Amino acid sequence: MAPTISRRAQLMPASPIRKLAPYAEAAKRQGVRVYHLNIGQPDIETPEPMRRRLAAIDDRVLAYTPSGGTPEALATFRRYYRSLGIELDESELLVTTGGSEACLFAMLAVADPDDEVLVVEPFYTNYNAFATLGNLRLRPLTSRGEDGFHLPPPEAWQAARSPKCKAVLLCNPSNPTGTVYTRQELEWVAQFCREHELFLLVDEVYREFVYDGGTSLSALSLAGAEELVVVIDSASKRYSACGIRLGCVVSRNQAVMDAALRMAQARLSAPGLAQAIAAGIDEIPSAYNDTVLAEYAKRRDVLYEGLSAIPGVFLRKPEGAFYLMPRLPVDDAEHFCEWMLSDFSHDGATVMMAPAPGFYATPGLGRDEVRIAYVLNTTELTHAVAVLAAGLQAYGERGTG
């Protein structure tokens, strides 16, 4: 008899973003075009200065780098934060292998096995995986689509908190909902954390993507919360450089940063090539962010207007990031997303989405929702919406002939 794998391994959830990939690949083998709206992989070019840095690397030995990050990469991140009006010492930054490692380090640094982390659902699905790796529990507060997925009221927070809660985890702007929390919301959460001696972990990977003239306040700017705040960041989305896997943990709490550094030493170092590439950030023209933001705003508008015109679909207009989470006229989003890939095509194409149950911690929620990433150009998004509309109609008509 074979030995039994660990309970942690048994509990590790499959990603709703990627688990339907075999169905998508099977559809492609049948000649069906698949519009990938399931994953936040931008199609915008990585900035030329970063690509040039990669081409210029001629090291004869690709060696380990310092565990906390190369001096060059740390200086680049410090200059970036200075451009936001946030001054940081080198000891308040740690370079990580993507935002994923930054999130994992942050969670493990502030909570012990069986401790709880308050999280607003729906949330980035991989928080579930990181919690499972650390034997932590995500304690959910449910937000509502009717409220634009903004924060639940104070009484819900008080009711959800337990003696085992050690931290609050937010994503701002939000993946998967596109919600941007207001200054008032963030200040209230910081006050809640102060009152109950909780850490405030904030995933700010989508900080630059805020539409309609809005802004996103970094938690690092919250007065009086310096010892509570731990920020998770990444170069992946900001510079369309997901493949270099480079992020950082930022905190003014030295105990947290010391712990994160010891974790970083255990994995030796973040990729040296990625850190060398990141130094090209300093050479990116100032107009880059404005151009990219305008493009995503167009995509959001095309997708929002197209989805809003489909009978039975409900959604609010997202304020930031490049995701939205509509409610569809289906009973089982998991089955519908699988059916779209395995049994349906329209004009030779179908759509891949991420079913929403995996973005919740409360069983049963999200059964009629999907997460959609608007990372395709407006022409492809328009076609994808037409395919989705046809799919919803055909799905509703099954067995009625």
Side-chain angles (χ1 to χ4, degrees):
M1 180 180 295
T4 302
I5 63 173
S6 70
R7 178 168 171 76
R8 179 187 298 106
Q10 295 176 52
L11 292 174
M12 180 61 63
S15 170
I17 300 169
R18 292 176 177 264
K19 72 178 183 179
L20 298 181
Y23 295 95
E25 294 308 310
K28 292 173 187 177
R29 288 194 294 270
Q30 297 297 317
V32 177
R33 177 172 185 178
V34 177
Y35 288 109
H36 282 274
L37 304 181
N38 61 301
I39 192 166
Q41 172 56 63
D43 63 351
I44 292 171
E45 282 191 359
T46 306
E48 188 275 337
M50 298 177 73
R51 305 198 312 272
R52 180 166 20 94
R53 290 281 306 206
L54 175 61
I57 295 171
D58 62 356
D59 296 6
R60 295 298 183 92
V61 177
L62 299 176
Y64 289 127
T65 59
S67 296
T70 64
E72 188 177 37
L74 288 167
T76 298
F77 277 119
R78 289 179 70 193
R79 284 190 292 271
Y80 164 74
Y81 276 98
R82 186 175 297 124
S83 74
L84 303 178
I86 299 170
E87 287 290 341
L88 296 168
D89 292 335
E90 188 172 292
S91 64
E92 295 168 340
L93 272 162
L94 184 136
V95 176
T96 58
T97 307
S100 296
E101 187 178 69
C103 191
L104 180 61
F105 282 0
M107 293 173 75
L108 295 182
V110 305
D112 289 315
D114 296 322
D115 282 342
E116 296 179 345
V117 177
L118 281 172
V119 63
V120 176
E121 62 180 3
F123 51 80
Y124 176 48
T125 182
N126 282 354
Y127 297 160
N128 259 328
F130 304 147
T132 302
L133 286 171
N135 290 334
L136 309 177
R137 286 190 58 207
L138 295 182
R139 193 169 182 88
L141 292 113
T142 306
S143 61
R144 302 168 66 249
E146 288 80 359
D147 301 323
F149 294 108
H150 277 270
L151 297 183
E155 56 268 23
W157 291 75
Q158 300 294 349
R161 188 186 67 85
S162 80
K164 295 190 72 67
C165 285
K166 292 296 181 69
V168 169
L169 174 58
L170 298 177
C171 184
N172 184 45
S174 171
N175 172 7
T177 66
T179 304
V180 179
Y181 300 128
T182 65
R183 173 184 285 272
Q184 183 179 12
E185 286 177 293
L186 292 173
E187 289 179 342
W188 185 88
V189 173
Q191 179 60 31
F192 175 81
C193 289
R194 276 192 294 267
E195 289 175 0
H196 299 291
E197 298 182 0
L198 306 176
F199 284 97
L200 176 55
L201 315 183
V202 187
D203 180 345
E204 298 185 356
V205 166
Y206 299 92
R207 185 187 295 119
E208 260 70 25
F209 303 105
V210 182
Y211 310 114
D212 304 324
T215 57
S216 175
L217 177 73
S218 174
L220 294 165
S221 300
L222 293 170
E226 291 81 4
E227 291 296 307
L228 310 176
V229 169
V230 184
V231 161
I232 297 144
D233 206 348
S234 168
S236 292
K237 315 299 183 178
R238 190 170 299 136
Y239 306 111
S240 193
C242 301
I244 69 171
R245 308 308 304 134
L246 195 70
C248 63
V249 176
V250 189
S251 181
R252 296 188 175 97
N253 185 307
Q254 205 55 55
V256 168
M257 296 308 296
D258 289 346
L261 177 58
R262 294 195 299 275
M263 294 177 199
Q265 290 169 345
R267 58 81 161 117
L268 302 182
S269 62
L273 291 177
Q275 295 181 76
I277 294 167
I281 290 170
D282 289 333
E283 303 170 42
I284 297 173
S286 57
Y288 173 82
N289 284 341
D290 292 338
T291 301
V292 171
L293 184 65
E295 173 63 22
Y296 279 120
K298 285 195 302 183
R299 296 178 180 194
R300 177 202 62 165
D301 292 345
V302 164
L303 189 56
Y304 173 74
E305 291 164 10
L307 291 174
S308 297
I310 299 175
V313 173
F314 172 85
L315 73 160
R316 298 292 191 199
K317 197 171 192 178
E319 302 154 328
F322 41 67
Y323 306 96
L324 48 76
M325 186 167 273
R327 189 181 305 152
L328 305 182
V330 300
D331 293 329
D332 187 340
E334 299 264 7
H335 182 265
F336 173 67
C337 289
E338 180 182 320
W339 177 86
M340 285 287 291
L341 294 169
S342 62
D343 293 273
F344 178 79
S345 66
H346 175 72
D347 290 339
T350 192
V351 173
M352 186 175 182
M353 299 163 289
F359 295 85
Y360 286 85
T362 302
L365 294 185
R367 284 183 58 84
D368 57 355
E369 295 174 328
V370 295
R371 189 196 73 163
I372 293 176
Y374 41 99
V375 292
L376 305 180
N377 63 57
T378 54
T379 299
E380 291 183 329
L381 282 176
T382 299
H383 292 163
V385 169
V387 172
L388 176 57
L392 285 168
Q393 181 175 347
Y395 190 76
E397 292 174 350
R398 291 169 305 144
T400 60

